[in-house]
Amino acid sequence: DRFTNSDGVHTNAILGVNNMLDNLLASQDFDKILVAFDAGSKTFRTAKYDDYKAGRQKTPDELLEQLPLVKEMLEGHGIVHYELANYEADDIIGTLAREADQQGDQVLVVTGDRDLTQLATDRVTVAVTKKGVTELEEYTPAYVQEKLGVTPRQIIDLKGLMGDTSDNYPGVTKVGEKTAIKLVQQFGSVEDLYAHINDLKASKMKEHLVEDHDQAIMSKDLATIRQD
């Protein structure tokens, strides 16, 4: 169904966000809520790597026309929203989650993007939306460990080695998730892996690692959500 109002403006995203908010607000008591938006497609990441997020489909016009109304609806709820030139919404979320964590607050990050699971700590839980927006999968450090076999911070190292097709950065040639997990479990981080690269016996994989060193370091940097 195509939801439009009497002026022909689409309303499906506004409805979706509103329903998600209603669910969240009913589920627990929040002292503070903030919604972060991307300020634009140009960020410090695109400045570092031209092809970052290249190949993604353009945001559909029917969604773009609803964004100002989504923001208006949030204001109607009394909820603050924020965006920052040159950064992604993720970086705003990462920075404020860390600040609240350091103050001893419990934080719930709600997102459709698994990349944010790197932010999980004892006080920060990252809830990833499943099945539309009604069901949430909660990532705590223990859950990340159980699911991936690494710590939340090491998710960045996995991304450095395997790259990310949706954000379109390369990682190391032919290194997939299984290999990346094995290497991170063995060496701890991308940097420590390269510090001990000579301990690896000769193989195609070792050759790829050596050749793609700069790509791995860059990919890890692109994957790192800024918290400052």
Side-chain angles (χ1 to χ4, degrees):
D1 289 352
R2 297 183 85 67
F3 292 92
T4 54
N5 66 9
S6 54
D7 299 326
V9 176
H10 289 87
T11 55
N12 54 331
I14 305 165
L15 182 70
V17 174
N18 191 63
N19 290 350
M20 184 169 160
L21 266 177
D22 284 348
N23 278 338
L24 266 178
L25 295 171
S27 73
Q28 44 197 314
D29 249 350
F30 295 102
D31 300 316
K32 303 183 180 80
I33 299 180
L34 178 129
V35 179
F37 288 91
D38 289 341
S41 55
K42 292 268 175 274
T43 65
F44 77 92
R45 289 184 182 86
T46 52
K48 281 174 189 274
Y49 183 58
D50 276 348
D51 288 334
Y52 181 72
K53 287 194 174 173
R56 272 206 184 180
Q57 286 177 319
K58 216 168 102 348
T59 308
D61 290 340
E62 65 181 65
L63 182 59
L64 286 175
E65 73 183 24
Q66 294 178 74
L67 279 178
L69 295 165
V70 167
K71 291 173 182 175
E72 214 174 291
M73 181 204 73
L74 291 169
E75 286 157 14
H77 273 282
I79 292 171
V80 177
H81 59 83
Y82 193 57
E83 54 191 55
L84 186 61
N86 212 26
Y87 291 92
E88 293 180 49
D90 294 6
D91 303 306
I92 297 170
I93 294 167
T95 298
L96 291 170
R98 181 183 183 185
E99 212 168 273
D101 186 349
Q102 288 173 338
Q103 286 167 14
D105 293 332
Q106 291 290 332
V107 181
L108 183 70
V109 174
V110 181
T111 177
D113 183 353
R114 278 175 206 285
D115 290 352
L116 280 104
T117 52
Q118 64 180 263
L119 300 175
T121 68
D122 291 341
R123 291 199 188 93
V124 178
T125 299
V126 181
V128 180
T129 52
K130 301 193 328 185
K131 282 200 191 136
V133 291
T134 46
E135 231 181 278
L136 297 172
E137 186 176 10
E138 295 200 350
Y139 284 79
T140 58
Y143 187 65
V144 171
Q145 190 72 48
E146 179 195 324
K147 211 169 152 120
L148 290 171
V150 297
T151 67
R153 293 304 296 164
Q154 288 174 322
I155 289 170
I156 310 162
D157 296 286
L158 296 183
K159 296 265 182 195
L161 294 173
M162 60 192 253
D164 185 313
T165 44
S166 79
D167 285 343
N168 197 49
Y169 51 81
V172 175
T173 308
K174 293 214 164 114
V175 169
E177 188 175 45
K178 276 203 178 104
T179 306
I181 288 171
K182 216 170 79 182
L183 288 168
V184 170
Q185 286 174 338
Q186 190 180 345
F187 293 99
S189 71
V190 169
E191 291 79 6
D192 287 336
L193 161 63
Y194 280 107
H196 297 97
I197 195 83
N198 296 330
D199 300 352
L200 288 175
K201 58 181 194 293
S203 67
K204 234 6 203 169
M205 180 188 74
K206 182 177 180 177
E207 283 170 37
H208 290 313
L209 282 166
V210 171
E211 280 161 24
D212 293 344
H213 168 270
D214 293 357
Q215 264 177 213
I217 298 295
M218 176 194 70
S219 296
K220 176 175 175 172
D221 183 47
L222 292 174
T224 302
I225 292 172
R226 298 307 191 253
Q227 295 194 277
D228 58 356

